[in-house]
Amino acid sequence: MIVINLSVLSRPSENVSSRQPVPEGRAIWSMMFERYMGRIAVLSNEVYNPAFFADWLKREGFKASFFECIDEPLPDLKAQKIQLLGAAFGKIEWYVDTDPRVCAHTTALGIPTIVISVPDTIRPEWEQGKTIRQWDTLVEEMESQALKAAERTWRE
């Protein structure tokens, strides 16, 4: 059994319906789905309506054996719940998460663990806190760069 945290598969959001899948999460899912014949469980750190959670998984193409919401604030309690899931559903071959604290506790409990680091912002210029330049400033900068590029080959 593979147990994957929802944070590996999608970007954080206020609710499950607005979560966006990440390509790295899809790649991990596809690789493990074939190898372990679909025995994959999805865990969420937030409590979601089970019907919405199931619909999101179906809509995004993640065919999970089961899914569970764990609402524990402490990493060691999350790790213990993950261990209990393993006791209920069979040996956990891998636990995959983005939280290194939880992964440290699952490793201490004897569960093979993979820590994944997926960036929230793909490109730094897409960050919300960055100031957006006005159109005139952008056009002036483009013209300036075009002139400098032309001047580079002017003397040839």
Side-chain angles (χ1 to χ4, degrees), residues 3-144:
V3 181
I4 296 181
N5 196 298
L6 185 61
S7 60
V8 173
L9 302 175
S10 64
R11 299 195 194 295
S13 184
E14 296 82 32
N15 55 33
V16 72
S17 61
S18 62
R19 290 196 111 161
Q20 294 297 313
V22 292
E24 297 84 3
R26 279 200 192 279
I28 290 169
W29 180 276
S30 298
M31 177 182 63
M32 290 187 168
F33 192 83
E34 283 186 32
R35 173 71 173 92
Y36 293 96
M37 297 174 283
R39 295 184 58 234
I40 301 179
V42 179
L43 294 182
S44 172
N45 296 334
E46 296 85 20
V47 176
Y48 293 127
N49 180 337
F52 289 140
F53 196 9
D55 288 346
W56 185 87
L57 290 170
K58 289 176 191 173
R59 187 176 63 242
E60 298 301 335
F62 297 113
K63 187 176 180 182
S65 297
F66 71 93
F67 56 90
E68 186 70 35
C69 296
I70 296 179
D71 187 26
E72 290 292 342
L74 300 175
D76 57 338
L77 295 177
K78 286 181 188 177
Q80 288 174 3
K81 286 209 172 185
I82 292 163
Q83 185 181 31
L84 290 175
L85 288 173
F89 293 103
K91 182 178 183 252
I92 297 176
E93 300 291 329
W94 291 104
Y95 174 66
V96 186
D97 198 350
T98 58
D99 188 354
R101 296 171 302 154
V102 175
C103 291
H105 288 288
T106 56
T107 302
L109 293 172
I111 300 170
T113 305
I114 300 173
V115 180
I116 302 293
S117 177
V118 180
D120 285 338
T121 306
I122 298 169
R123 300 180 84 184
E125 58 267 22
W126 292 351
E127 184 65 37
Q128 295 292 338
K130 194 164 177 114
T131 57
I132 299 172
R133 291 199 271 177
Q134 299 297 322
W135 184 255
D136 296 340
T137 309
L138 186 61
V139 171
E140 287 174 16
E141 180 67 26
M142 289 172 58
E143 289 175 352
S144 170

